[in-house]
Amino acid sequence: MGIKTSLRPVICVVGARPNYMKMAPIIRAFKAHEPVVPVLLVHTGQHYDVAMSDRLFADLELPPPDVNLGVGSASHAVQTAEVMKRFEPVIDEHGARAVLVVGDVNSTLACALVASKRGIPVVHVESGLRSYDRTMPEEINRVLTDQIADVLYTTERSAHANLVREGIAPERVVFVGNVMIDSLLANLSKAPSASDLMTTAGFGMERLRRGYGVVTLHRPSNVDHPDTLGPIVDALRTISRRLPLVFALHPRTRANLERFGMLDKLDAPGFLVLPPQGYLEMLGLMAGATMVLTDSGGIQEETTALGVPCLTIRENTERPITVEQGTNTLVGVDPAALRDAADAVLEGGGRRGRVPEYWDGRAAERIAAHLAAWLSARESSGGE
Ligand code: UD1
């Protein structure tokens, strides 16, 4: 029936911004593997703006997607359902040796679910991270994807314990390191210098001499309610009097600031408000920063790899190694705590940390080697 299993592609799925930098090194490693692991790259279209998608493909030298499902924005239920409906025919048309998903966005869970129901092995990269906060949509996506995954690749050793606690067979879990850091190490030398970026954006060198901070904010729990978003922005405004802040504004956050009539809060001399940045620009900005203030997951890891102090504006993190070994401090959302934490970095220089085990630029290589062997063993034992 149909083509030989080993010639079918591994379908690799991306949907939203934080997926691209994880997928780029994996695709490169599959191509470099002997024998080559055939790939079909599917973009669900969860993110679709040039700034949130095309630009990052170019920066990361990701090949254009073979298939774009074009789902766009919608409620969680509708978005997840649309991805599922549109993804299943792709499996029918191309066949799949396995479906590989990364991270924790809605597209991750949707495609894993379709593959699992079709009896196709699900491979999850960045498994086992847990915030233990089930109000986060990503936590639901992580827990459920891991439950149905056949191979689970982890970025830090704590993930293994989380998975085993949830009843996942330990032999399915493989510690490979962090593919996001593969991308960072491969691209850092191509990143524009922060001073070039700031000058181009009209923020003179004079301001740079005192250093600057970088801000990103987009978690629904921080930005979807005026009572939370307002005080956070006020605290940032206070910090910006001591340290100029470059604020790369996510579309969700911009839309909410407009809706709440708060956009003018960013109209302060210490703020430089930018649209979502390219991957290389963001790396350049972070690498040169005095500190980064964020609620992103990936940025907690990138700042740890860069050795730049990170203040995380959340009550929890699914990436504890960044706090235990890296440069991350979990500050919470209390404005006074945020101001104090920023003052402490300005006065004491902040945490320097160290780079965790296997965050060495070779995680994708380990995945390619392991997965190729795992698939061959499975296929030769007749398990399809
Ligand atoms: C999604 C992920 C989140 C990830 C984030 C990175 C889920 C549940 N959430 O959140 O884990 O950290 O991506 O950005 O999958 N929008 C645009 N242009 C776009 C995409 C979105 O303007 O290209 C706007 C739309 O108004 C949309 C809103 O942003 O409604 C939110 O987009 P959505 O994909 O639903 O979630 P994110 O907040 O981006």
Side-chain angles (χ1 to χ4, degrees):
M1 274 183 36
I3 53 174
K4 206 168 156 241
T5 313
S6 59
L7 297 177
R8 290 181 199 151
V10 172
I11 298 187
C12 292
V13 177
V14 292
R17 184 169 65 173
N19 294 160
Y20 316 134
M21 45 293 252
K22 295 169 195 166
M23 195 59 84
I26 296 173
I27 291 193
R28 262 199 297 280
F30 283 166
K31 284 194 176 142
H33 189 265
E34 267 301 322
V36 169
V37 179
V39 162
L40 186 89
L41 180 60
V42 174
H43 192 327
T44 65
Q46 176 173 343
H47 283 175
Y48 43 84
D49 284 348
V50 170
M52 299 296 282
S53 188
D54 306 25
R55 173 88 185 276
L56 288 115
F57 266 70
D59 283 353
L60 290 155
E61 296 175 28
L62 253 176
D66 299 295
V67 180
N68 193 321
L69 304 179
V71 296
S73 302
S75 72
H76 285 267
V78 170
Q79 189 174 62
T80 308
E82 273 307 319
V83 173
M84 290 180 70
K85 275 166 66 181
R86 298 182 194 196
F87 184 58
E88 188 164 45
V90 176
I91 294 183
D92 290 336
E93 186 182 339
H94 298 273
R97 214 176 162 194
V99 169
L100 183 147
V101 293
V102 296
D104 54 17
V105 302
N106 287 343
S107 303
T108 307
L109 173 61
C111 294
L113 203 46
V114 173
S116 157
K117 295 277 176 106
R118 295 293 300 262
I120 294 165
V122 174
V123 181
H124 187 205
V125 175
E126 203 187 82
S127 282
L129 297 180
R130 295 291 179 269
S131 64
Y132 291 98
D133 173 2
R134 295 245 172 144
T135 66
M136 280 180 84
E138 294 81 4
E139 183 76 353
I140 304 299
N141 294 340
R142 287 188 281 259
V143 169
L144 297 179
T145 303
D146 285 338
Q147 278 297 324
I148 54 178
D150 297 277
V151 186
L152 300 94
Y153 293 119
T154 59
T155 53
E156 57 174 278
R157 290 192 185 274
S158 70
H160 185 103
N162 293 337
L163 291 167
V164 170
R165 213 176 295 128
E166 290 171 14
I168 287 159
E171 60 272 19
R172 293 184 172 193
V173 183
V174 187
F175 174 47
V176 290
N178 197 327
V179 286
M180 188 163 225
I181 306 309
D182 290 6
S183 268
L184 182 146
L185 295 174
N187 287 291
L188 193 54
S189 65
K190 290 186 248 165
S193 83
S195 64
D196 282 354
L197 286 167
M198 306 272 280
T199 310
T200 313
F203 223 38
M205 288 300 289
E206 188 50 36
R207 305 298 302 276
L208 257 190
R209 213 161 291 142
R210 290 160 46 206
Y212 66 92
V214 174
V215 179
T216 81
L217 216 54
H218 76 283
R219 290 274 151 234
S221 58
N222 281 341
V223 307
D224 282 2
H225 298 285
D227 295 350
T228 321
L229 183 57
I232 292 175
V233 174
D234 289 339
L236 293 171
R237 203 176 148 112
T238 306
I239 295 166
S240 78
R241 292 194 199 109
R242 290 194 69 191
L243 180 74
L245 295 180
V246 182
F247 198 156
L249 208 50
H250 187 282
R252 173 190 282 273
T253 311
R254 173 174 285 280
N256 286 341
L257 284 167
E258 269 165 16
R259 192 153 57 93
F260 305 149
M262 290 179 177
L263 208 48
D264 61 348
K265 281 184 188 284
L266 298 183
D267 199 5
F271 276 133
L272 173 65
V273 180
L274 299 177
Q277 292 295 288
Y279 179 69
L280 298 175
E281 281 73 17
M282 200 62 200
L283 275 190
L285 279 172
M286 290 193 293
T290 304
M291 71 178 95
V292 174
L293 304 100
T294 190
D295 59 8
S296 154
I299 288 177
Q300 295 172 53
E301 298 183 335
E302 289 168 335
T303 45
T304 275
L306 290 167
V308 172
C310 178
L311 301 183
T312 296
I313 309 172
R314 284 174 46 186
E315 301 295 347
N316 51 53
T317 179
E318 62 286 335
R319 293 162 161 90
I321 204 164
T322 60
V323 176
E324 287 151 16
Q325 297 184 14
T327 57
N328 191 16
T329 305
L330 209 50
V331 178
V333 298
D334 173 46
L338 186 54
R339 289 192 301 267
D340 289 350
D343 283 345
V345 175
L346 286 174
E347 270 132 44
R351 304 186 57 194
R352 307 275 25 133
R354 66 181 153 97
V355 178
E357 183 184 7
Y358 274 9
W359 291 23
D360 59 356
R362 305 190 60 182
E365 234 175 87
R366 290 182 200 105
I367 289 173
H370 178 272
L371 189 63
W374 187 87
L375 287 170
S376 300
R378 179 174 185 276
E379 287 151 11
S380 59
S381 70
E384 289 183 29

